[in-house]
């Protein structure tokens, strides 16, 4: 199979979909690999690194999309990239379709087979291709939250760990999954007073058993959430419903109950955001003010630490990428129901229920798509 990796063109996206190590593995499996020139520079990989791994270098993204059977990316294809997709081509990347009707429409019209990293599952009920970026985003969230809290950025001017005689920042993490757990660990490590909210009592018990007194836990009822948020300096939104639009946990009206200059970091922004006032931002202009509350809603947070993120993502995606290339998407998905869960679009049909529900589009069962 011919595997192609274009350079990411989303603003301030420095990751790359294919590492030189992944390219080397694919070549060893007998596949042809082509990478767009300079695609890996932002993550610290030169064209020579790919050439030494056995890959070819293309001068333009158009060459990649024209010739590749399997296109491997990081972020969802941008409008100009979606126009280059073709019927029968396989796209393997993050998609986050539920809050993005325009992208969904374009992918359906392309006729391509689109497999989303964020809905591939594992036998433990996890999301193995989302997890490494969730870990990165979770660990970044307190760091960017601390920066947003600085007075020069519009925040409350509160130091996360405080100093002797002055208490630490109060941090509320909404969601106790991968993002929330990593965010809580880092925030607590910075010396903050941290509380994690979740609706799963089993998850709260796990966090309590695993981390003891490092941070507190609480049940995420609507009343409890706003009560804790109103006393917080930093609120990190870390809620995920796989493939679906994120629920809105703090409304615009409730901003008036928060402390002036409090910071909201919305890690769920890729799925539409979990605060009503959230809208996607970029690393170039990451924060904005709504009613005196500072919002950090960068839609590709892990892109800020592109080398760490690229290597972590490449480690996770490589086995699935090789399966798709070795077997073709149908056989690979027949053999692995967890990979089949990643199928979001095939031949003009939507194949992921949560996206269809969010966008009001009829869905074809993935098992039927295998036979289409």
């Amino acid at each position: 199979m011919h595997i192609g990796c274009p350079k990411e063109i989303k603003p301030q996206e420095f990751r790359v979909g294919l590492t030189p190590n992944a390219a080397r593995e694919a070549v060893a499996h007998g596949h042809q690999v082509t990478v767009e020139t300079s695609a890996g520079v932002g993550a610290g990989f030169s064209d020579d690194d790919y050439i030494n791994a056995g890959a070819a270098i293309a001068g333009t993204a158009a060459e990649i999309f024209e010739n590749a059977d399997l296109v491997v990316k990081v972020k969802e294809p941008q409008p100009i990239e979606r126009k280059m997709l073709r019927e029968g081509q396989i796209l393997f990347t993050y998609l986050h379709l539920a809050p993005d009707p325009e992208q969904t429409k374009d992918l359906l019209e392309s006729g391509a087979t689109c497999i989303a990293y964020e809905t591939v599952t594992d036998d433990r009920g996890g999301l193995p291709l989302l997890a490494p970026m969730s870990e990165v985003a979770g660990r970044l969230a307190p760091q960017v939250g601390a920066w947003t809290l600085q007075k020069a950025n519009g925040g409350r001017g509160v130091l996360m760990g405080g100093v002797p005689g002055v208490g630490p920042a109060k941090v509320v993490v909404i969601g106790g999954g991968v993002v929330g757990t990593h965010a809580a660990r880092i925030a607590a490590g910075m010396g903050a007073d941290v509380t994690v909210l979740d609706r799963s009592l089993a998850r709260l018990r796990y966090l309590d058993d695993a981390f003891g007194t490092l941070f507190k836990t609480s049940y995420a009822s609507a009343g409890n959430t706003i009560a804790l948020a109103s006393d917080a300096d930093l609120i990190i939104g870390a809620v995920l419903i796989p493939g679906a639009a994120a629920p809105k946990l703090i409304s615009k009206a409730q901003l008036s109950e928060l402390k002036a200059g409090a910071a909201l970091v919305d890690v769920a922004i890729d799925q539409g955001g979990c605060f009503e006032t959230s809208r996607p931002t970029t690393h170039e202009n990451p924060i904005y003010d709504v009613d005196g509350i500072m919002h950090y809603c960068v839609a590709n947070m892990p892109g800020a630490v592109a080398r760490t993120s690229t290597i972590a993502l490449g480690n996770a995606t490589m086995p699935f990428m090789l399966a798709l290339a070795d077997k073709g998407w149908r056989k690979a998905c027949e053999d692995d129901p967890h990979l089949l869960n990643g199928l979001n679009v095939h031949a003009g049909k939507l194949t992921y229920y949560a996206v269809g529900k969010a966008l009001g589009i009829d869905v074809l069962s993935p098992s039927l798509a295998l036979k289409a």
Side-chain angles (χ1 to χ4, degrees):
M1 189 173 283
H2 189 169
I3 302 168
C5 178
K7 185 175 182 178
E8 296 295 322
I9 60 172
K10 191 164 186 172
Q12 289 80 51
E13 180 52 71
F14 304 107
R15 290 172 290 178
V16 61
L18 201 67
T19 64
N21 279 341
R24 190 183 304 277
E25 293 275 352
V27 170
H29 281 234
H31 304 296
Q32 180 182 354
V33 177
T34 305
V35 178
E36 185 181 352
T37 184
S38 302
V41 169
F45 301 119
S46 69
D47 286 353
D48 284 344
D49 291 330
Y50 289 100
I51 292 169
N52 292 335
I57 301 297
T60 65
E63 294 175 56
I64 300 288
F65 283 93
E66 182 179 354
N67 297 306
D69 305 304
L70 168 61
V71 175
V72 180
K73 281 177 44 61
V74 178
K75 292 305 292 178
E76 71 279 359
Q78 302 302 290
I80 192 172
E81 295 174 312
R82 301 197 293 262
K83 291 177 182 177
M84 293 188 282
L85 287 167
R86 65 177 192 276
E87 185 175 351
Q89 197 167 44
I90 306 166
L91 174 65
F92 192 37
T93 189
Y94 288 116
L95 293 176
H96 300 292
L97 294 179
D100 195 344
E102 288 303 315
Q103 184 197 175
T104 304
K105 176 177 176 289
D106 288 348
L107 294 184
L108 291 171
E109 290 177 354
S110 75
T113 297
C114 305
I115 299 173
Y117 293 161
E118 73 272 11
T119 63
V120 173
T121 56
D122 62 24
D123 55 10
R124 299 180 301 279
L127 301 169
L129 305 190
L130 188 62
M133 296 304 93
S134 296
E135 290 164 354
V136 171
R139 291 183 178 217
L140 269 176
Q143 181 176 313
V144 299
W147 179 80
T148 305
L149 277 173
Q150 292 178 25
K151 195 64 181 178
N153 297 320
R156 284 177 50 74
V158 174
L159 184 66
M160 288 285 275
V163 293
V166 181
K170 291 187 177 180
V171 177
V172 171
V173 180
I174 307 177
V178 175
V179 171
T181 300
H182 283 266
R185 287 179 61 189
I186 297 302
M190 295 170 77
D193 177 354
V194 182
T195 301
V196 178
L197 291 161
D198 202 282
R199 284 184 175 272
S200 167
L201 291 176
R203 186 63 185 178
L204 293 176
R205 290 189 186 99
Y206 164 78
L207 293 173
D208 188 66
D209 289 342
F211 298 102
T213 59
L214 183 64
F215 51 78
K216 294 170 280 188
T217 61
S218 189
Y219 187 74
S221 64
N224 207 25
T225 297
I226 193 60
L228 286 166
S230 65
D231 195 37
D233 300 295
L234 169 61
I235 303 161
I236 297 172
V239 175
L240 173 70
I241 300 174
K248 306 304 180 190
L249 303 174
I250 294 179
S251 68
K252 186 177 189 303
Q254 289 173 322
L255 294 186
S256 63
E257 300 182 44
L258 307 185
K259 293 179 179 177
L264 302 182
V265 175
D266 197 339
V267 187
I269 192 64
D270 271 333
Q271 293 293 141
C274 58
F275 308 125
E276 187 181 8
T277 45
S278 293
R279 57 176 173 79
T281 60
T282 67
H283 291 291
E284 187 175 18
N285 294 294
I287 60 176
Y288 60 93
D289 179 343
V290 178
D291 297 341
I293 306 301
M294 305 310 298
H295 294 59
Y296 182 102
C297 303
V298 173
N300 60 332
M301 286 177 62
V305 286
R307 187 169 179 86
T308 297
S309 298
T310 292
I311 295 171
L313 181 60
N315 291 341
T317 59
M318 188 193 307
F320 296 98
M321 181 269 292
L322 291 173
L324 290 169
D326 290 346
K327 302 176 180 181
W329 78 269
R330 276 191 170 84
K331 179 63 174 170
C333 288
E334 284 175 358
D335 290 350
D336 186 352
H338 299 297
L339 181 57
L340 180 60
N341 287 335
L343 187 66
N344 277 217
V345 173
H346 171 64
K349 299 292 185 182
L350 193 65
T351 56
Y352 198 80
Y353 174 75
V355 175
K357 182 178 180 182
L359 299 180
I361 299 174
D362 291 338
V363 174
L364 176 70
S365 165
S367 59
L368 293 178
L370 286 176
K371 303 172 185 177

